[in-house]
């Protein structure tokens, strides 16, 4: 789940420069767009603890991921201008930030569950997967973006045609959407809730 959604997150940031150059016609617009993008994620992250207290870890993750999915998909149907796109990216990252802000907590929950089931201290091993997910996402992002850009025939020297603009716009919107949807599959199998994990942790302390 974590690595897949990070491909969507990192991929959106990478594709922003192509979108601004080809679709918006001004590569310089990528800077303010990315500022808005990352600012949304930061603010969303600060909101995560409050939302989690009300809805719990699992529901907060679902709220965040589904909200991000809707906002990202909206970039395909809304007008192609920096205001509309920037607004949707900012809103989408508020939702993503709420989800991603609970990442360490979810890894910790898995570590507690693993220790509860096996009797072995596996929390450190589980937490190590957090950095591994980032490394995998960065590597796969590069491979996937290169592949899709090559498929539509994009190069830096290519002529910017209406067809090329349409392709880049589609990639910018659909690439993250695909990986957001894929990330929901493993999330659906995440059955732990905060109360159960707290009970497991207490049981571990008694051993």
């Amino acid at each position: 789940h974590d690595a897949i959604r990070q491909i969507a997150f990192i991929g959106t940031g990478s594709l922003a420069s192509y979108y601004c150059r080809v679709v918006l016609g001004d590569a310089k617009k990528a800077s303010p767009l990315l500022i808005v993008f990352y600012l949304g994620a930061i603010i969303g992250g600060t909101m995560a603890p409050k939302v989690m207290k009300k809805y719990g870890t699992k529901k907060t993750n679902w709220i965040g991921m589904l909200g991000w999915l809707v906002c990202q998909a909206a970039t395909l149907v809304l007008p192609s201008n920096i205001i509309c796109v920037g607004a949707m990216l900012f809103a989408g990252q508020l939702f993503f930030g709420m989800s991603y802000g609970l990442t360490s907590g979810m890894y910790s929950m898995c570590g507690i569950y693993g220790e509860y089931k096996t009797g072995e201290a596996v929390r450190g091993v589980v937490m190590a997967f957090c950095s591994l997910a980032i490394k995998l996402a960065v590597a796969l992002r590069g491979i996937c973006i290169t592949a899709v850009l090559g498929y539509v025939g994009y190069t830096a020297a290519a002529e910017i045609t209406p067809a090329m603009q349409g392709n880049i716009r589609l990639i910018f919107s659909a690439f993250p959407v695909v990986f957001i949807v894929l990330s929901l599959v493993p999330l659906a199998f995440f059955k732990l809730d905060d109360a159960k994990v707290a009970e497991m942790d207490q049981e571990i302390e008694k051993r």
Side-chain angles (χ1 to χ4, degrees):
H1 165 70
D2 189 27
I4 300 171
R5 70 178 175 178
Q6 288 200 58
I7 295 174
F9 172 72
I10 300 170
T12 303
S14 299
L15 288 168
S17 59
Y18 299 99
Y19 183 86
C20 290
R21 178 181 179 271
V22 177
V23 180
L24 300 184
D26 186 356
K28 294 180 180 179
K29 290 182 178 179
S31 294
L33 201 62
L34 287 173
I35 290 173
V36 168
F37 177 75
Y38 291 117
L39 182 61
I42 292 170
I43 295 174
T46 64
M47 295 165 56
K50 292 182 179 179
V51 180
M52 186 270 289
K53 286 182 181 179
K54 184 174 182 179
Y55 296 106
T57 300
K58 185 175 181 179
K59 285 185 178 179
T60 300
N61 269 279
W62 275 103
I63 291 169
M65 295 304 294
L66 292 175
W68 181 23
L69 176 63
V70 171
C71 292
Q72 184 64 39
T75 61
L76 185 59
V77 297
L78 291 175
S80 296
N81 60 63
I82 195 169
I83 301 299
C84 289
V85 174
M88 286 299 98
L89 288 184
F90 179 78
Q93 290 312 295
L94 284 178
F95 283 107
F96 169 74
M98 284 192 291
S99 175
Y100 193 70
L102 302 178
T103 299
S104 60
M106 289 189 71
Y107 277 104
S108 179
M109 291 171 75
C110 292
I112 292 171
Y113 175 77
E115 187 170 344
Y116 176 79
K117 284 293 187 179
T118 66
E120 303 291 334
V122 297
R123 299 189 203 191
V125 176
V126 172
M127 293 303 294
F129 280 94
C130 186
S131 60
L132 178 61
I134 296 173
K135 294 175 182 178
L136 283 173
V138 171
L140 293 173
R141 175 280 319 258
I143 295 171
C144 293
I145 289 180
T146 301
V148 294
L149 290 177
Y151 180 76
V152 300
Y154 174 84
T155 65
E159 180 184 359
I160 298 177
T161 63
M164 180 62 72
Q165 289 178 319
N167 286 333
I168 296 299
R169 185 185 183 196
L170 177 61
I171 291 170
F172 177 76
S173 299
F175 180 91
V177 165
V178 169
F179 285 97
I180 293 171
V181 171
L182 289 175
S183 75
L184 297 178
V185 176
L187 183 60
F189 290 94
F190 186 80
K191 302 301 182 181
L192 300 177
D193 62 41
D194 301 283
K196 288 181 181 179
V197 172
E199 291 176 4
M200 292 177 189
D201 200 20
Q202 290 176 0
E203 181 64 29
I204 292 171
E205 292 295 327
K206 294 177 182 177
R207 293 176 179 174

